[in-house]
Amino acid sequence: MIAIKHSHLHIVQLLMNSSECDLTVQNINNYSPFDIAVITAFDSRQGPSHNLCWEIVYLLMRAGAEPACPEAMLYVFRTALKMEDAVFLRHFLTACIEHCTSHLVHERVLLKLHRNQPLYMAESGIDEFLELASFFTVKLIKTTTWQKLPGLIQTFVYYMESHWSRRFLKEKIYRRLVLYASAAGWQWSASDLVLIRNTSQTLAQWCQNLQCSPLSLSFASRLSFRKKCEQSVSFCLTFINIPDAVKEYILLGDVDLLLKSEKGVDLTKVQM
């Protein structure tokens, strides 16, 4: 924790390579090493050690470090939003997309953005940050275990209940999330459909139709594999010898291709 606070990257690396290093330890304020790293990166954003602070955050994210004290991330996000520090928020969310696999970090990011958005007075609102956060959500959906998928789906409410400056962007982001969750095998309940209908009637109807359609053999096979993964899907795929194209399909690559289409997504023609 002292090494993190003073931005001694090399010492942090040495300590983390030790078998006795405990990333869950907390100080007297109930801060974990991850909490301290994020606060230090925020407080040092104008200082000479700024880049080193971020390297430490990346290192901890890749090691699976978790936040412990909710007030730590609250301080960072609340202050950044109040100061309209878009650079820091953008940097942190991009770091999550590239390095983080923590569901707890994901949930807290969305919670803090949702609850503190009135502090951000920029004309564009928090649309940009919610859009970046959605890429973090998609990353987790693609690789998460079946047991953790419900927790991710529950965070969709933060996207729905946040204020968006651009309604069309909200619909676009929510459609993306629903498509990935559906491809991962999520079965939409009646209450889910009511919430989806508040954003898009067309999307809700597509989800309802999907529930009534028979599964294709490829989709059923993908779902069977993903349900049996006790660790991340991408990790489990490293142990089986199958073509790369099949691996991409299991990691929801078909949705990636669908959303890259220049013609946009026509839900009436999308099947799983």
Side-chain angles (χ1 to χ4, degrees):
M1 289 183 176
I2 294 173
I4 290 170
K5 194 167 184 179
H6 290 278
S7 306
H8 294 318
L9 175 61
H10 181 58
I11 295 178
V12 173
Q13 290 174 319
L14 287 174
L15 291 170
M16 288 180 63
N17 287 334
S18 167
S19 60
E20 298 180 3
C21 181
D22 182 4
L23 294 178
T24 67
V25 70
Q26 298 177 22
N27 66 9
I28 194 171
N29 296 316
N30 298 322
Y31 285 6
S32 69
F34 182 89
D35 293 327
I36 293 176
V38 172
I39 291 175
T40 303
F42 180 70
D43 288 343
S44 304
R45 59 196 184 284
Q46 303 297 333
S49 62
H50 181 61
N51 289 335
L52 287 175
C53 292
W54 278 114
E55 289 298 325
I56 292 173
V57 171
Y58 304 156
L59 189 65
L60 289 167
M61 284 181 170
R62 290 193 294 268
E66 298 270 24
C69 182
E71 284 72 21
M73 197 169 288
L74 173 63
Y75 158 71
V76 169
F77 270 78
R78 184 178 177 84
T79 309
L81 289 167
K82 190 173 183 179
M83 296 176 65
E84 297 185 16
D85 192 342
V87 173
F88 175 84
L89 291 167
R90 195 179 297 123
H91 197 153
F92 183 82
L93 291 167
T94 302
C96 289
I97 295 167
E98 295 178 356
H99 304 287
C100 189
T101 57
S102 167
H103 287 241
L104 183 57
V105 171
H106 172 263
E107 194 274 337
R108 288 192 179 171
V109 163
L110 287 174
L111 177 63
K112 303 312 176 188
L113 284 175
H114 170 67
R115 290 189 176 176
N116 296 285
Q117 58 183 320
L119 297 173
Y120 194 73
M121 302 303 292
E123 185 178 349
S124 61
I126 65 167
D127 288 16
E128 175 191 3
F129 310 132
L130 288 171
E131 184 173 20
L132 278 173
S134 74
F135 289 111
F136 186 21
T137 306
V138 166
K139 170 188 172 180
L140 295 181
I141 291 173
K142 293 175 72 172
T143 62
T144 192
T145 62
W146 183 254
Q147 291 74 21
K148 290 185 177 181
L149 185 59
L152 282 176
I153 305 301
Q154 290 175 4
T155 65
F156 285 13
V157 69
Y158 296 126
Y159 292 102
M160 293 190 63
E161 294 184 352
S162 292
H163 173 74
W164 294 71
S165 298
R166 293 167 289 178
R167 171 80 183 188
F168 78 90
L169 183 59
K170 176 182 180 180
E171 294 181 1
K172 174 185 175 182
I173 297 303
Y174 201 70
R175 181 172 64 244
R176 176 196 301 160
L177 295 173
V178 169
L179 283 171
Y180 276 106
S182 299
W186 185 252
Q187 295 291 306
W188 302 102
S189 66
S191 57
D192 290 333
L193 293 173
V194 170
L195 291 174
I196 295 172
R197 195 169 286 110
N198 291 335
T199 300
S200 171
Q201 290 277 355
T202 305
L203 184 60
Q205 186 61 54
W206 178 81
C207 290
Q208 193 167 6
N209 293 341
L210 183 65
Q211 309 290 73
C212 304
S213 303
L215 300 181
S216 67
L217 179 59
S218 55
F219 182 84
S221 300
R222 171 167 68 187
L223 181 57
S224 177
F225 179 86
R226 293 178 66 93
K227 282 186 174 182
K228 292 180 180 178
C229 291
E230 296 183 357
Q231 298 190 57
S232 75
V233 177
S234 53
F235 177 79
C236 292
L237 284 171
T238 62
F239 294 97
I240 58 175
N241 184 21
I242 56 175
D244 289 342
V246 178
K247 290 183 179 181
E248 283 297 314
Y249 178 73
I250 293 173
L251 288 169
L252 315 185
D254 54 325
V255 184
D256 294 340
L257 293 174
L258 178 67
L259 293 174
K260 286 180 181 178
S261 171
E262 296 180 359
K263 298 179 181 179
V265 179
D266 183 356
L267 288 174
T268 62
K269 298 180 180 179
V270 176
Q271 296 180 332
M272 293 295 173

